[in-house]
Amino acid sequence: MERIETDRLIMRRLMPEDYLEMTAWDMDERVYKYLLGNACKMPEDPLSWLPKKDPHSRTNILMIVHAKADGHAVGIYALNHIIDRDVWTLSYVNRYDDWGKGYTAEGMKALMDHAIKEYGAHTFEAECAKTNNGSARVMQKLGMVYDHDSSYTKSDGSVTFESVVYTLTP
């Protein structure tokens, strides 16, 4: 099983049995403010999609992240290879009480380095709402630079966000 460690984090592939740990962020409306989906209503909600994810995929890398200090689940960090554009898109979600601790930049940097080494990744892209200053800071800490403006709509159509797209070619 793929495993990545940083000074403060341990990451491994996300598995269906992780669904209960995911409730720490999946059922929190604050966490889902800028995400495409909406907060879960029941702890079992991720079981509608989680078993369909291939934990050995070379194009959709979903990692559950744990803090080394006490073992609690911090969030999920992911890279998705858009093959026709040969770009790896970043996504991440943290439990609310772990925001602002630097975990995302630390973990995503390690995951990106891993993708370069193991999968030959060479171009990364990420998008965030213009009003999501925390995610913009993460992307900047990762060395990503502004590429263009865009927009995205939540999957239920409830809101459309003006957004910025950042890229990195290490």
Side-chain angles (χ1 to χ4, degrees):
M1 178 68 68
E2 252 174 317
R3 179 181 166 107
I4 301 170
E5 287 194 39
T6 70
D7 289 342
R8 301 181 299 156
L9 304 171
I10 298 171
M11 297 181 281
R12 65 164 172 75
R13 289 294 185 117
L14 184 65
M15 302 297 288
E17 56 268 22
D18 296 321
Y19 80 96
L20 285 176
E21 287 186 289
M22 294 168 58
T23 62
W25 56 86
D26 267 356
M27 297 183 73
D28 189 335
E29 294 287 342
R30 299 169 298 183
V31 171
Y32 274 78
K33 179 176 182 177
Y34 295 113
L35 298 180
L36 289 173
N38 292 301
C40 295
K41 302 294 183 212
M42 306 206 20
E44 298 81 13
D45 286 353
L47 293 175
S48 67
W49 61 268
L50 194 50
K52 297 173 190 169
K53 295 295 182 181
D54 177 1
H56 305 289
S57 174
R58 297 183 58 81
T59 59
N60 185 249
I61 316 301
L62 292 171
M63 307 293 274
I64 190 164
V65 181
H66 291 94
K68 281 184 178 179
D70 62 8
H72 79 274
V74 170
I76 297 172
Y77 300 168
L79 290 173
N80 187 43
H81 188 202
I82 309 299
I83 295 170
D84 63 329
R85 294 179 42 228
D86 197 18
V87 160
W88 290 79
T89 59
L90 285 67
S91 59
Y92 44 83
V93 59
N94 284 341
R95 60 192 295 155
Y96 186 78
D97 55 341
D98 281 330
W99 287 10
K101 295 181 179 179
Y103 288 148
T104 308
E106 179 180 333
M108 285 305 304
K109 170 78 169 100
L111 184 54
M112 292 162 71
D113 289 346
H114 178 77
I116 291 167
K117 180 180 173 192
E118 296 297 321
Y119 305 111
H122 56 84
T123 303
F124 297 94
E125 182 178 274
E127 180 177 11
C128 69
K130 287 183 177 182
T131 54
N132 188 346
N133 297 324
S135 279
R137 280 193 303 277
V138 166
M139 292 172 204
Q140 292 161 3
K141 286 180 184 178
L142 292 171
M144 302 182 89
V145 295
Y146 169 84
D147 190 72
H148 64 276
D149 288 338
S150 189
S151 66
Y152 66 92
T153 302
K154 286 183 83 65
S155 56
D156 66 359
S158 62
V159 65
T160 297
F161 295 102
E162 295 299 315
S163 63
V164 287
V165 176
Y166 289 84
T167 59
L168 174 68
T169 304

